[in-house]
Amino acid sequence: MNNNLTPFPQELIFHVGDVSAAPTVSFEFFPPKTEEMEQRLWETIVELAPLRPAFVSVTYGAGGTTRERTHATVRRILKETSLTPAAHLTCVGASRAAVDEVARAYWESGVRHIVALRGDPPQGSTVYAPYPGGYAYANELVEGLRRVGDFEISVAAFPEKHPESPSFEQDMEVLKRKVDAGATRAITQYFFDADLFYRFMERVEKAGIKIPIVPGILPIGNFAQVLKFSHMCGASVPPWLHEMFDGLDGQPVTRNLVAAYVAVEQCRKLQQQGVRQFHFYTLNRADLTAAVCHVLGVRRQADARAEPTRETAQG
Ligand code: FAD
C-alpha cells in the first residue's frame, strides 16, 4: 500500500453524499398549461416529494396570466400531498384590492407562504409601469400581505443586481426595504459563479440584512434556453460554462451528466462558503434536481410521498 498519497481535501470527503451534512432544499415549479404538462408536473412532484423539501413554490405567470393555474396547482399540492406550498404573487396588472383578494383566498385555503414579487412587464411591453391603483413594487406588496395574514414571505434577491437597478447599492437598498416591510427570506435569481454569491453576501452583511438568503440553483437542462433567458434576466454565463456544454447538442445523456456535475460543483462551492439551503429551479423536471440532491446527501424519505393523504383518499 502506498502511504504517500495526498489525502483528499477534508471538505470534499465531508460533502460528497454525506447525509449528515445534507442541506435543506426547496423546489420551484411552474403551473402547467395543458393536461399533458399537468401529468408531467405531477410525476415530477411524486419523484421529488420524498426528498422532503422545506417548501415547494409555484410561479405566477407574467402579468398574472396564470392566476387560476397557479392557484389550482398550489391547492392540489396542499390537498394531495404532505408538501408545504408557497404561492408566487406579483404586482403586475392588478389593483391592490384584486391582489389582496388573491392573498386572502390563499390564506383561507391554508396557504401560509407567499413569494412576493414585483413581476416583469406583461408580454408586448418592455418597460415596467405600475398598474393604476396597484402595488408598485415588491416592498409594497410585502406590506400589503402583512395586512392580510401572518404569512411567511419570501422575496427575490439578485447577486448580479436586478437589470433595472442603476447600482449594487440601490439594489441592496431595495432588498432592505423588502426586509423592513416584513420579508422573512430572500431567494436569489440563479447564477453560475459561486464567487458572485460570496460578494453578494458581503454586501448583504454590510447592509445589516439578517433574514436567510437562499441561493437559487438552476440545473441546466437546455443550455440554449438558459443563454436566452440569462440575457433577459441579467444572469451572466461564464466562458467555462460555454466550454462545458460545447459539442453536446446531440448527446442528451452526456449533457445531463455534465449538467448535474456543474450544479453539484456549484452547490459544493457554496457549501464551502457556509450555505446550508438551496432553492432549485426545477423547470418541472425531476431528474437533474434529484441527482444533485442525492450527491449532496439529501435522501428519499419513505414517509414523505406525494400521494393522496388518508384524508383525501377517504373523500
Ligand atoms: P422589486 O424588488 O420591486 O424591484 C424591481 C426593480 O424596481 C429593481 O430594479 C428595483 O431597483 C426597482 N425599484 C424597487 N423599488 C423602487 C421604487 N420605489 N422606485 C423606483 N424603482 C424601484 N416573475 C414573475 O412574473 N412571476 C414569478 O413567479 C416570479 N418568480 C420569481 C422568483 C424568484 C426567486 C426571482 C429571483 C424572480 C422571480 N420573478 C418572477 C421575476 C421578478 O418578478 C423580476 O425579476 C422582476 O423584474 C423584479 O421583481 P422584484 O420582486 O425583485 O422587484
Side-chain angles (χ1 to χ4, degrees):
M1 186 175 155
N2 181 357
N3 288 327
N4 294 326
L5 289 175
T6 313
F8 283 120
Q10 275 306 306
E11 68 271 16
L12 209 68
I13 298 168
F14 183 65
H15 286 308
V16 176
D18 186 342
V19 182
S20 68
T24 303
V25 296
S26 53
F27 305 135
E28 181 182 294
F29 305 120
F30 63 86
K33 268 194 188 133
T34 61
E35 264 184 42
E36 199 185 327
M37 287 166 83
E38 163 106 21
Q39 175 74 16
R40 200 175 99 186
L41 169 62
W42 214 247
E43 283 163 13
T44 298
I45 291 175
V46 166
E47 184 71 23
L48 294 179
L51 296 174
R52 283 210 195 209
F55 64 90
V56 295
S57 77
V58 183
T59 62
Y60 201 69
T65 44
T66 67
R67 177 178 160 155
E68 289 311 319
R69 282 187 278 127
T70 299
H71 205 153
T73 306
V74 168
R75 260 200 323 263
R76 187 170 174 197
I77 290 171
L78 195 63
K79 197 164 166 223
E80 297 187 23
T81 77
S82 55
L83 298 169
T84 302
H88 292 219
L89 190 55
T90 73
C91 308
V92 178
S95 66
R96 286 176 179 232
V99 172
D100 289 355
E101 194 187 310
V102 174
R104 248 191 308 276
Y106 276 130
W107 182 265
E108 278 158 19
S109 57
V111 176
R112 295 289 179 264
H113 184 171
I114 302 282
V115 183
L117 306 141
R118 185 199 74 177
D120 283 321
Q123 261 188 348
S125 32
T126 47
V127 182
Y128 174 79
Y131 190 79
Y135 293 113
Y137 294 100
N139 64 304
E140 293 183 8
L141 175 58
V142 174
E143 264 170 38
L145 290 170
R146 279 270 157 263
R147 287 190 288 270
V148 172
D150 189 19
F151 287 111
E152 188 178 344
I153 302 176
S154 297
V155 291
F158 300 84
E160 300 185 69
K161 87 173 181 60
H162 184 265
E164 292 165 40
S165 285
S167 65
F168 282 108
E169 288 72 26
Q170 146 113 23
D171 212 52
M172 201 47 69
E173 210 18 72
V174 168
L175 179 58
K176 182 92 170 53
R177 250 182 260 156
K178 294 191 272 195
V179 176
D180 292 345
T184 49
R185 171 195 296 98
I187 302 171
T188 77
Q189 180 60 278
Y190 69 81
F191 58 95
F192 297 109
D193 186 345
D195 292 348
L196 286 169
F197 187 76
Y198 188 82
R199 291 199 287 277
F200 173 70
M201 289 307 287
E202 282 182 328
R203 294 194 294 277
V204 166
E205 211 177 314
K206 210 167 139 204
I209 292 171
K210 302 284 185 217
I211 60 168
I213 311 278
V214 183
I217 306 295
L218 176 67
I220 302 174
N222 180 332
F223 188 60
Q225 219 173 56
V226 166
L227 281 182
K228 203 169 137 196
F229 194 68
S230 301
H231 183 68
M232 292 191 296
C233 72
S236 60
V237 180
W240 60 262
L241 203 51
H242 286 265
E243 280 165 25
M244 198 65 103
F245 283 91
D246 186 36
L248 294 182
D249 284 352
Q251 300 184 60
V253 176
T254 309
R255 206 172 53 217
N256 251 5
L257 293 170
V258 169
Y261 168 79
V262 165
V264 165
E265 273 292 297
Q266 185 189 3
C267 291
R268 289 208 347 240
K269 284 185 182 152
L270 291 167
Q271 285 182 312
Q272 283 162 20
Q273 294 175 19
V275 173
R276 295 289 174 263
Q277 191 169 349
F278 298 106
H279 183 73
F280 287 92
Y281 294 108
T282 71
L283 301 181
N284 291 8
R285 58 181 279 191
D287 54 353
L288 285 174
T289 297
V292 175
C293 286
H294 186 88
V295 179
L296 296 177
V298 182
R299 291 290 182 269
R300 297 165 68 84
Q301 307 281 325
D303 60 337
R305 293 176 189 284
E307 285 170 351
T309 56
R310 200 174 302 138
E311 200 183 332
T312 52
Q314 287 170 351

